[in-house]
Amino acid sequence: MKAEHYVGGVFRSDGPAFPLIAPADGTELGAVPEATREVVDDAVAAARSALKGPWGAMAAEERAAALRRVADGIQARFEEFVDAEVADTGRPRAFAETVDVPRAVGNFRAYADLLYGRPERAYTTRVPGWSSGTGEALNYTVRRPLGVVAVVSPWNLPLLLSTWKIAPALACGNAVVAKPSEETPSTATLLARVIDEAGLPDGVFNLVHGHGPGAAGEFLTGHPGVDAIAFTGESATGAAIMRNAADHVTPVSFELGGKNPALVFADADLDAAVDGTVRSSFTHSGQICLCTERVYVERPVFEEFVARLGERARALDGYGPMISAGHRDKVLSYLRLAREEGATVVAGGGAPRFGDARDGGFHVEPTVLTGLPETARAVREEIFGPVCHVAPFDTEDEALALANDSPYGLAATVWTRDLSRAHRVAPRVETGIVWVNCWNLRDLRTPFGGVKASGIGREGGEYSLDFFSEPVNVCVQI
């Protein structure tokens, strides 16, 4: 799939090109155009114009039908989307087939469905006559779109996370300018093709490619014509976008990084806890914001848990590469640092050798560490790779203190057979999401997001619709 901008209903390749590299084997996949400031200006202007055209007057039922056409278009090109996602990210094909593309289809269908049966709030009140009116009044709330929404999505789950924002933004009647990661442009371009074929009015959806600082990302998030920003990515980038948006007081919705804890109590089903931790630490080689990097295990089962987790990590195969050479080198630098800080490497700890084309790619072994103090950088800082550190605890209060001693607060897992403990512990973990005896079990209607340095706001179901629309109260004296 050739990466192209999509602006005002036209595909174009303005700007200097940069290479797209396959993380699986290091080969060059093609070239990506770098959007200039002029391209971004054109995209924002096209979105603004679309709001004044048929899209701005379109009924919710018509918007829902348009979203369903997009969902059908993704489904019709299912294998193309899978191929593009696998090429860009290097993830196992089964992951793209069962998660990435089905969830993209589901996102558009879910938000089309949510447009129906969403009653506006209405109530009557009797208010004191401190102003010009007195007596009973009918108050009701209507919602209007925010306007032009910038959607900036990351490289780790590029199709899933972009559609997670684009679908509700369009459902609410906004026009979108999307910028995917420069590492993973292909499925975004293919999505633009599908939206074009679905017949949405020109300018309703726009796509610009490029880098972040001093480039397309900065041009877009600091643009005075942008009315809201939805971003998923690392916390430092979120802070930079927030500073960029501050001049125009632009609303933001951020899902940022995490250093997610798991709490494994001695009464847990140890088979399930080990299985769950293997998935939560090493799925997509740890390159999911929800992945577990800190594992705290009650001391009576600590040694057994570590031995079993290490054995499982050593046996893993087909786990996929890091997204780039730079990110691989970052992860490996943390493994060197962990050794310097006194870690015991139970499993992994380096770059594997395969003896085939994968040796040109950007792979890191699934790694289990123990023995580090809580002050160690490898315990405090987000690594975003297939790495977890396991430490013991003795009491429930200690486990909570360890879990909460982090600048991040995205997700946590609790493993216990004691449901009273589960209900007692889960609300005290300082994260936006807590899974009990499972991991990444997601109902798309539930609130998704973090606290502290892990984000601002919530996404999912009505929560996304609340962000992407503006409530307006209408008060009529009776």
Side-chain angles (χ1 to χ4, degrees):
M1 168 57 63
K2 178 185 177 183
E4 294 178 291
H5 311 305
Y6 180 63
V7 177
V10 177
F11 288 93
R12 47 197 271 195
S13 299
D14 308 44
F18 59 90
L20 177 62
I21 304 300
D25 58 14
T27 58
E28 188 170 324
L29 294 171
V32 185
E34 178 78 52
T36 62
R37 189 182 293 275
E38 289 71 25
V39 172
V40 174
D41 286 345
D42 289 350
V44 174
R48 181 69 58 197
S49 178
L51 293 170
K52 298 176 182 177
W55 184 252
M58 193 174 288
E61 292 81 3
E62 296 176 274
R63 293 200 305 274
L67 294 187
R68 291 196 180 93
R69 292 197 301 274
V70 174
D72 292 344
I74 298 171
Q75 188 67 53
R77 291 179 175 241
F78 191 94
E79 292 302 323
E80 290 180 70
F81 275 98
V82 170
D83 290 343
E85 200 77 334
V86 170
D88 275 7
T89 64
R91 66 163 53 81
R93 188 175 186 85
F95 194 98
E97 290 175 332
T98 59
V99 178
D100 293 304
V101 183
R103 275 285 300 275
V105 174
N107 285 337
F108 280 99
R109 288 186 176 152
Y111 285 104
D113 291 344
L114 276 171
L115 288 182
Y116 288 93
R118 191 176 191 233
E120 302 295 353
R121 298 181 182 94
Y123 45 90
T124 58
T125 57
R126 178 171 291 278
V127 296
W130 62 270
S131 62
S132 59
T134 185
E136 280 196 310
L138 170 66
N139 287 268
Y140 63 94
T141 304
V142 296
R143 288 191 170 271
R144 61 183 178 216
L146 298 175
V148 176
V149 175
V151 171
V152 183
S153 52
W155 49 258
N156 60 328
L157 299 168
L159 180 64
L160 188 160
L161 291 176
S162 65
T163 58
W164 181 233
K165 302 174 190 300
I166 292 166
L170 295 179
C172 290
N174 300 285
V176 168
V177 181
K179 193 206 85 68
S181 167
E182 65 275 12
E183 307 279 6
T184 53
S186 300
T187 48
T189 304
L190 191 53
L191 177 63
R193 292 282 178 194
V194 167
I195 289 175
D196 188 71
E197 293 163 359
L200 274 68
D202 293 346
V204 169
F205 175 78
N206 304 272
L207 174 67
V208 296
H209 294 289
H211 292 76
E218 185 175 325
F219 303 154
L220 179 60
T221 56
H223 200 290
V226 167
D227 299 303
I229 301 168
F231 168 73
T232 295
E234 64 178 350
S235 299
T237 305
I241 290 174
M242 202 168 185
R243 287 191 293 270
N244 212 21
D247 287 344
H248 307 292
V249 199
T250 307
V252 296
S253 173
F254 286 166
E255 193 265 288
L256 305 176
K259 190 72 176 178
N260 304 310
L263 303 181
V264 181
F265 289 91
D267 64 359
D269 179 335
L270 214 56
D271 290 338
V274 171
D275 285 344
T277 306
V278 168
R279 291 194 305 108
S280 70
S281 295
F282 305 127
T283 294
H284 192 21
S285 293
Q287 297 172 113
I288 300 176
C289 55
L290 303 169
C291 279
T292 302
E293 292 194 14
R294 299 181 294 138
V295 184
Y296 299 106
V297 183
E298 197 166 7
R299 199 173 298 275
V301 295
F302 175 76
E303 295 295 340
E304 180 183 356
F305 183 92
V306 168
R308 292 174 63 176
L309 183 63
E311 181 180 6
R312 290 286 300 278
R314 287 187 292 272
L316 286 175
D317 188 24
Y319 38 82
M322 302 293 96
I323 190 64
S324 65
H327 188 56
R328 174 202 59 197
D329 294 346
K330 172 196 167 184
V331 174
L332 291 176
S333 74
Y334 271 104
L335 298 184
R336 290 192 296 272
L337 176 63
R339 288 186 176 92
E340 294 168 5
E341 292 177 314
T344 298
V345 180
V346 177
R353 301 298 297 176
F354 299 101
D356 55 34
R358 289 175 293 174
D359 288 338
F362 314 128
H363 300 265
V364 174
E365 295 171 321
T367 299
V368 178
L369 306 172
T370 61
L372 288 174
E374 290 298 300
T375 55
R377 285 181 58 196
V379 175
R380 300 291 297 174
E381 299 174 13
E382 184 181 33
I383 298 173
F384 214 64
V387 181
C388 67
H389 178 262
V390 191
F393 69 84
D394 292 301
T395 68
E396 186 176 297
D397 285 343
E398 183 188 7
L400 282 162
L402 290 166
N404 293 337
D405 184 19
S406 173
Y408 296 100
L410 183 55
T413 55
V414 176
W415 298 92
T416 178
R417 284 191 175 100
D418 185 341
L419 289 182
S420 293
R421 168 183 280 142
H423 287 296
R424 184 170 62 245
V425 167
R428 296 176 63 195
V429 181
E430 294 171 0
T431 59
I433 306 162
V434 182
W435 283 290
V436 176
N437 296 330
C438 60
W439 174 75
N440 203 16
L441 184 59
R442 290 279 297 119
D443 184 320
L444 300 185
R445 298 167 296 182
T446 59
F448 180 89
V451 301
K452 298 189 274 190
S454 289
I456 297 172
R458 292 295 182 270
E459 298 175 309
E462 294 277 350
Y463 299 90
S464 288
L465 297 181
D466 284 342
F467 173 74
F468 287 114
S469 61
E470 194 74 62
V472 178
N473 186 76
V474 178
C475 177
V476 181
Q477 185 172 8
I478 298 174

